[in-house]
Amino acid sequence: MVHMTRLLPAVGLAALALSMTAGAHAERAVPLPAPAHDVAPTPRPQVAVFAGGCFWGMEAVFERVKGVRSVTAGYAGGTRDTASYDQVSTETTRHAEAVRVVYDPARVSYGQLLRVYFSIAHDPTELNRQGPDTGLSYRSAVFPQTPVQRAVAAAYIAQLSQAHAFSRPIVTRIEAGQFFPAEAYHQRFYDLHPTHPYIVNIDQPKVAAFRAGFPTLARAG
C-alpha cells in the first residue's frame, strides 16, 4: 500500500521510482471515440461520480474541463454510512477514492466526461490499483446518478470493448453507493501542493496530457 506515503512531504527513492514509472503512461491521452450515446442536455447543473485511483489527480483533471463547476474529492461505494481517509485506507469498508463532478450540461456532456475519464483521468484496465497505489479503494468504477447515466456508461464501456480501444480488457465497474466528501486537506491538493513528489510524477503528466489531448475541452490557464 502507498496510502500514507502520499501524504509525506517527500518519498523514499523506491516509492519515487515507482511513481515516475507509473506516471509515464499518462504523458499522452489514449485516443478514444466519442460515445455513441449520450445524456441529453438539461438546463440545470448535473452531477457525475467517478473512481479511478488517487482522487488528487482525478480532481485536477476534471477541474480543468470547460463546463465543470466544481469537483470534490471523496469516497464512494462502501458498506458504511460514513467514510474517512483512515477508514478507507484499511481496505475493509469497500469505499473507493472518487470525485464528485458538478457540471453544466449545456457546456459539457456526461459522455464527454466519460471520454476524459477513460482516456486520461485513469487507466481502466488496471484491476484494483492505479500505478503505485494498490487496493480495492483504488478501483476503476463509475457511480451513475441517474438511470440514463447508467445506460450511457454501460454502452460506452461496451463500445470501447468492442472496438478494442485498449490492449487489455476494461475492468471498470458500474456501481451504486453514497458519496462522502474527503477531508479538507485532500481538497485541491494538486493546486495547493504543486511540488509534492506524487503530484509532480503522477498527476502533472495527466493534466498535461489532458490539455494536449483535449484542447477544445481544456480551460485556459
Side-chain angles (χ1 to χ4, degrees):
M1 299 294 179
V2 196
H3 301 57
M4 298 311 296
T5 305
R6 293 187 334 197
L7 299 182
L8 298 176
V11 295
L13 292 177
L16 184 56
L18 276 173
S19 296
M20 293 176 70
T21 300
H25 80 280
E27 293 177 356
R28 291 187 303 167
V30 178
L32 299 178
H37 306 281
D38 208 339
V39 179
T42 63
R44 296 182 179 180
Q46 298 297 306
V47 173
V49 177
F50 304 112
C54 173
F55 42 35
W56 294 344
M58 294 274 289
E59 180 187 42
V61 170
F62 283 111
E63 279 184 337
R64 285 155 177 79
V65 176
K66 290 179 181 178
V68 168
R69 296 193 173 191
S70 67
V71 185
T72 304
Y75 317 101
T79 56
R80 298 187 179 184
D81 58 2
T82 185
S84 69
Y85 189 74
D86 288 342
Q87 291 173 325
V88 174
S89 295
T90 67
E91 298 292 344
T92 61
T93 70
R94 300 192 66 81
H95 288 94
E97 290 197 12
V99 291
R100 181 178 186 268
V101 181
V102 180
Y103 65 100
D104 181 353
R107 300 185 62 198
V108 63
S109 71
Y110 184 70
Q112 288 174 308
L113 295 178
L114 282 173
R115 192 179 181 197
V116 171
Y117 169 72
F118 282 105
S119 175
I120 192 58
H122 83 308
D123 182 345
T125 70
E126 291 194 322
L127 181 63
N128 296 336
R129 68 172 299 134
Q130 284 292 309
D133 299 318
T134 60
L136 192 64
S137 63
Y138 295 108
R139 68 186 180 273
S140 173
V142 178
F143 295 85
Q145 303 299 292
T146 67
V148 176
Q149 282 190 1
R150 176 175 291 274
V152 169
Y156 194 43
I157 291 174
Q159 177 185 343
L160 296 179
S161 297
Q162 291 168 6
H164 301 289
F166 297 91
S167 59
R168 297 181 296 176
I170 295 173
V171 297
T172 306
R173 307 178 185 182
I174 297 180
E175 301 186 27
Q178 186 175 353
F179 178 86
F180 300 95
E183 295 78 359
Y185 63 85
H186 282 302
Q187 308 301 332
R188 300 188 63 246
F189 196 93
Y190 180 97
D191 295 316
L192 296 176
H193 304 279
T195 61
H196 190 288
Y198 192 98
I199 297 299
V200 171
N201 292 292
I202 300 294
D203 295 334
Q204 287 181 2
K206 285 185 180 181
V207 171
F210 166 66
R211 292 193 181 282
F214 294 87
T216 60
L217 273 183
R219 294 180 186 272

